[in-house]
């Protein structure tokens, strides 16, 4: 096609110089003539290039003006800008983006891990500690996604009786993670703030006056009732029944909720804590004390508990616990150690056969029909009294029904029935997609092996994880190392020594297919509150 032909009236896309045969042409700005037309897909391609050099952390990126305004004519585009999540998904691919949900594992890429490790080692001693504190969480990280909370489009702040000053000093607008939130406040509280401001002004004026009027002499007539101070009004609003001593105010993003800002929380399965700090131990004993006071008849001390450094956020708090057993994946995720202890105890009571319970780690042995399963490790899920067998979730994801005589309990020394996570890692969806697009993280489905393996969890992700394809977003260092590795691999294969490896991989794939069919359907997902209710109800009636 001759695009230089001035006689040609056929409109062409100003990016790709192709016509409507490649897709409908749009006129998104005020550019005229040969620049007027373009394909939306071509505009999007250009817009996504804009984000390549930006930081993936939401605190560091600003809404890019080039997504809204034409670079040539400076008029705003009449088509909506791409969202950050859309842009990032265009780099990772939808298949990987769709893996960002609960019970998936995010694993750090070996190259990324190594490069962080080198940075920590190479840093001067003053920086080492600071770097280590954050990087240590990412090196060989294997993060189980425990929560994906939909973005609500607002932030909430809870105010109690002590927060009167805070209320009167609230900013109209706050900026966080690249978004702007505007204060939304009820009329009654607005009144309190206005009254307080008036009071302040009056006080200032009084201070300014040299001769304040003398206080009037006491009269015999009763004084008119003094109006309540703003503080008193605030307290009376809080003490209303429906407020129960505190009130929640909201900062809302006028553009509403955004899928890309969904909050993802995950805990690192790969950093068991060898010992607890005194304050951690104190917190644990407090929780045990509380549970024991509530349920004095129950023996909690023999429930195996292993503590983990779960991630950099709130690392002095227990943010999540996994209790082995249950009906689904092989574990249940709960928000507090108290509930975890109650749930673990409940599972112990529902045993089937001596020394077995839901959540018990077992080794399969003595099977004649399925000799291949002998030696496999698994977790007991549920006892089928009608069959006299345990539903066991095996390390490779397979669900099988096995008689207690073919199961040997494993000691709970290395891994507890409760995994306690101090701290977690948090991302927005768009941020994590960005880091995945850079090549830093891969994703895979979590299975029992991730909570059961007796070797390093991160190593167990090898061969299971999928990574984003190489794009313009890919980290330059990642790319270089990848190419080197690819080169080495090719040399290795050419030398004729790689055949064995290839075969092994193929076999592995076959196994997975077979297992997939036998796998049970996903368990009904319950919220923390539902699990808590269930456990408490059961305890009340059961004891
Ligand atoms: Zn085009
Ligand atoms: Zn234009």
């Amino acid at each position: 096609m001759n695009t230089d032909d001035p006689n040609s009236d056929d409109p062409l896309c100003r990016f790709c110089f192709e016509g409507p045969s490649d897709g409908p042409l749009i006129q998104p700005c005020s550019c005229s003539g040969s620049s007027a037309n373009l394909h939306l897909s071509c505009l999007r391609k250009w817009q996504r290039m804009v984000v390549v050099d930006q930081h993936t952390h939401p605190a560091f990126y600003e809404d890019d003006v080039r997504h809204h305004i034409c670079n040539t004519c400076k008029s705003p585009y009449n088509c909506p800008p791409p969202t950050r999540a859309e842009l990032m998904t265009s780099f990772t691919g939808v298949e990987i983006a769709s893996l960002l949900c609960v019970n998936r594992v995010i694993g750090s890429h070996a190259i990324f891990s190594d490069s962080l490790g080198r940075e920590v080692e190479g840093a001067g001693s003053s920086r080492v500690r600071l770097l280590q504190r954050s990087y240590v969480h990412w090196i060989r990280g294997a993060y189980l996604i425990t929560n994906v909370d939909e973005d609500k489009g607002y932030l909430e702040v809870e105010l109690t009786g002590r927060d009167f000053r805070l209320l009167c000093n609230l900013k109209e607008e706050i900026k966080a993670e690249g978004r702007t939130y505007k204060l939304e406040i009820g009329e009654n509280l607005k009144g309190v703030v206005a009254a307080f401001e008036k009071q302040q002004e009056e006080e200032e004026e009084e201070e300014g006056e040299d001769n304040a009027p003398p206080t009037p002499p006491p009269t015999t007539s009763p004084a008119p009732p003094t109006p309540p101070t703003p503080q008193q009004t605030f307290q009376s609003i809080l003490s209303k029944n429906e407020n129960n001593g505190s009130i929640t105010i909201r900062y809302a993003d006028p553009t509403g909720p955004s899928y890309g800002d969904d909050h993802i929380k995950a805990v690192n399965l790969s950093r068991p804590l060898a010992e607890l700090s005194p304050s951690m131990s104190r917190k644990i004993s407090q929780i045990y004390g509380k549970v024991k006071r509530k349920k004095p008849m129950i023996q909690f001390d023999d429930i195996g508990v292993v503590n983990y450094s779960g991630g950099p956020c709130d690392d002095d708090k227990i943010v999540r616990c996994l209790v082995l057993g249950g009906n689904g994946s092989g574990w249940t995720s709960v928000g507090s150690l108290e509930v975890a202890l109650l749930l673990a105890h409940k599972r112990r009571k529902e045993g089937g056969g001596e020394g077995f319970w839901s959540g018990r780690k077992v080794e399969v042995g003595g099977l004649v029909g399925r000799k291949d399963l002998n030696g496999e490790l698994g977790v007991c899920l549920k006892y089928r009294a009608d069959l006299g067998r345990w539903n066991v979730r095996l390390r490779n994801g397979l669900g099988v029904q096995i008689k207690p005589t073919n199961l040997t309990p494993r000691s709970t020394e290395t891994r507890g029935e409760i995994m306690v996570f101090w701290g977690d890692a948090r991302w927005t969806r768009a941020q994590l997609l960005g880091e995945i697009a850079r090549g830093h993280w891969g994703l895979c489905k979590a299975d029992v092996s991730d909570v059961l393996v007796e070797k390093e969890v991160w190593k167990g992700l090898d061969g299971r994880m999928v990574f984003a394809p190489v794009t313009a977003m890919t980290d330059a260092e990642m790319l270089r190392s990848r190419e080197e590795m690819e080169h080495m691999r090719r040399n290795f294969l050419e030398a004729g020594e790689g055949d064995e490896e290839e075969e092994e991989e193929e076999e592995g794939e076959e196994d997975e297919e077979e297992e997939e069919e036998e796998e049970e359907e996903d368990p009904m997902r319950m919220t923390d509150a539902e699990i808590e209710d269930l456990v408490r109800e059961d305890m009340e009636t059961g004891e």
Side-chain angles (χ1 to χ4, degrees):
M1 192 171 291
N2 187 358
T3 56
D4 294 330
D5 185 358
N7 299 325
S8 168
D9 288 336
D10 291 343
L12 299 174
C13 169
R14 73 178 190 233
F15 286 110
C16 70
F17 303 114
E18 293 297 334
S21 57
D22 278 38
L25 289 168
I26 58 169
Q27 296 84 37
C29 61
S30 305
C31 284
S32 57
S34 63
S35 303
N37 297 293
L38 49 86
H39 296 113
L40 182 60
S41 60
C42 290
L43 176 63
R44 289 287 189 249
K45 253 185 232 165
W46 182 77
Q47 284 171 326
R48 67 179 238 179
M49 293 316 293
V50 165
V51 303
V52 163
D53 296 325
Q54 285 189 355
H55 203 284
T56 48
H57 195 284
F60 295 103
Y61 60 71
E62 282 285 319
D63 201 8
D64 199 291
V65 73
R66 288 170 290 180
H67 288 156
H68 300 273
I69 290 170
C70 170
N71 222 19
T72 313
C73 69
K74 308 295 178 199
S75 73
Y77 288 124
N78 59 24
C79 56
T83 68
R84 189 131 187 113
E86 278 167 4
L87 286 166
M88 289 307 153
T89 304
S90 74
F91 290 110
T92 64
V94 282
E95 294 82 2
I96 288 180
S98 69
L99 283 173
L100 285 187
C101 50
V102 168
N103 281 355
R104 299 298 188 270
V105 173
I106 315 164
S108 60
H109 196 289
I111 297 170
F112 176 56
S113 270
D114 290 351
S115 108
L116 290 181
R118 275 197 305 278
E119 267 191 65
V120 171
E121 278 167 28
S125 57
S126 56
R127 280 184 67 211
V128 164
R129 268 222 208 114
L130 206 66
L131 275 175
Q132 263 174 342
R133 205 175 291 162
S134 58
Y135 286 178
V136 87
H137 291 289
W138 312 128
I139 296 169
R140 297 177 164 234
Y143 282 84
L144 176 74
I145 301 181
T146 57
N147 303 67
V148 178
D149 301 325
E150 259 178 54
D151 173 54
K152 297 186 292 249
Y154 56 79
L155 307 171
E156 286 183 327
V157 187
E158 198 185 339
L159 300 180
T160 65
R162 285 171 301 179
D163 298 324
F164 178 73
R165 283 273 161 181
L166 184 64
L167 172 75
C168 296
N169 289 300
L170 286 173
K171 289 186 184 138
E172 277 299 310
E173 193 177 279
I174 50 177
K175 283 183 192 288
E177 306 193 324
R179 304 169 86 179
T180 305
Y181 297 87
K182 296 205 186 315
L183 177 63
E184 282 180 357
I185 181 169
E187 286 304 320
N188 50 358
L189 289 179
K190 260 188 203 162
V192 169
V193 176
F196 177 72
E197 280 165 2
K198 200 171 156 221
Q199 193 187 45
Q200 294 286 95
E201 278 169 27
E202 280 169 3
E203 276 173 19
E204 273 168 33
E205 275 170 28
E206 274 172 34
E207 273 170 31
E209 285 168 23
D210 285 338
N211 43 0
T215 43
T219 54
T220 47
S221 61
T226 44
T229 64
Q231 283 93 329
Q232 285 165 339
T233 316
F234 179 57
Q235 297 299 345
S236 77
I237 291 172
L238 290 184
S239 62
K240 276 187 188 153
N241 274 341
E242 70 265 27
N243 290 334
N244 221 347
S246 74
I247 198 158
T248 305
I249 57 140
R250 191 178 277 195
Y251 278 94
D253 177 350
T255 62
S258 129
Y259 172 76
D261 286 308
D262 285 354
H263 306 276
I264 294 173
K265 290 182 187 167
V267 292
N268 196 353
L269 301 168
S270 64
R271 296 190 65 215
L273 289 165
E275 54 185 311
L276 296 181
S277 72
S279 84
M280 285 169 149
S281 305
R282 219 162 29 240
K283 280 179 186 168
I284 295 239
S285 359
Q286 277 167 3
I287 294 165
Y288 271 87
K290 200 170 139 197
V291 184
K292 283 175 181 171
R293 273 196 303 282
K294 277 189 191 166
K295 309 281 173 194
M297 304 302 285
I298 300 177
Q299 177 58 256
F300 289 106
D301 292 322
D302 62 345
I303 294 173
V305 171
V306 180
N307 291 276
Y308 289 79
S309 173
C313 309
D314 276 343
D315 60 357
D316 59 339
K317 292 196 183 91
I318 295 175
V319 296
R320 199 124 282 271
C321 297
L322 301 183
V323 183
L324 293 190
N327 283 330
S329 50
W331 63 84
T332 308
S333 156
V334 297
S336 81
L337 177 56
E338 191 190 336
V339 174
L341 285 167
L342 293 170
L343 184 60
H345 170 74
K346 178 178 179 308
R347 289 188 174 161
R348 279 218 171 169
K349 281 196 312 176
E350 295 168 353
E354 196 63 37
F356 295 99
W357 57 79
S358 177
R360 185 69 154 142
K361 283 178 280 185
V362 289
E363 185 176 331
V364 181
L367 288 178
V368 182
R370 294 283 316 259
K371 282 202 171 71
D372 56 311
L373 295 181
N374 292 331
E376 266 295 331
L377 298 181
V379 172
C380 289
L381 300 183
K382 190 180 164 60
Y383 187 63
R384 293 285 305 268
D386 53 332
L387 303 172
R389 288 161 190 261
W390 272 97
N391 284 351
V392 178
R393 178 72 69 212
L394 295 184
R395 193 162 52 164
N396 53 17
L398 184 66
V400 285
Q401 292 176 328
I402 298 178
K403 286 184 199 146
T405 47
N406 293 110
L407 297 172
T408 316
R410 301 278 298 187
S411 93
T412 55
E413 279 163 32
T414 46
R415 295 258 164 166
E417 286 131 289
I418 302 179
M419 301 163 80
V420 175
F421 295 91
W422 297 82
D424 58 12
R426 296 168 199 171
W427 295 266
T428 67
R429 185 187 293 275
Q431 179 193 5
L432 186 52
L433 280 171
E435 290 181 19
I436 291 167
R438 290 263 186 249
H440 296 168
W441 300 94
L443 281 161
C444 67
K445 197 176 165 191
D447 64 48
V448 166
S449 71
D450 301 317
V451 296
L452 200 68
V453 281
E454 285 153 353
K455 55 177 175 145
E456 206 188 334
V457 180
W458 180 77
K459 280 190 185 148
L461 303 178
D462 200 22
R464 289 163 56 201
M465 282 197 289
V466 286
F467 291 93
V470 173
T471 65
M473 269 298 276
T474 309
D475 191 300
E477 186 180 349
M478 299 280 309
L479 200 58
R480 214 166 33 243
S481 304
R482 264 195 200 197
E483 278 164 3
E484 271 167 30
M485 276 167 72
E486 189 51 38
H487 185 71
M488 275 163 58
R489 195 179 128 82
R490 236 178 289 129
N491 287 349
F492 183 65
L493 291 177
E494 273 163 22
E497 289 180 62
D499 299 348
E500 251 174 72
E501 196 190 43
E502 290 277 284
E503 266 170 37
E504 263 180 26
E505 271 177 28
E506 275 166 31
E507 263 174 44
E509 277 164 29
E510 267 170 40
D511 283 352
E512 269 168 36
E513 271 170 16
E514 191 186 321
E515 288 149 19
E516 206 73 18
E517 284 168 311
E518 290 178 57
E519 209 170 306
E520 284 173 21
E521 55 184 327
D522 261 354
M524 192 175 68
R525 291 216 59 79
M526 293 171 83
T527 65
D528 281 358
E530 284 164 346
I531 293 169
E532 195 165 337
D533 284 350
L534 192 79
V535 173
R536 287 193 204 283
E537 245 170 58
D538 199 76
M539 305 296 295
E540 243 96 88
T541 52
E543 291 305 312

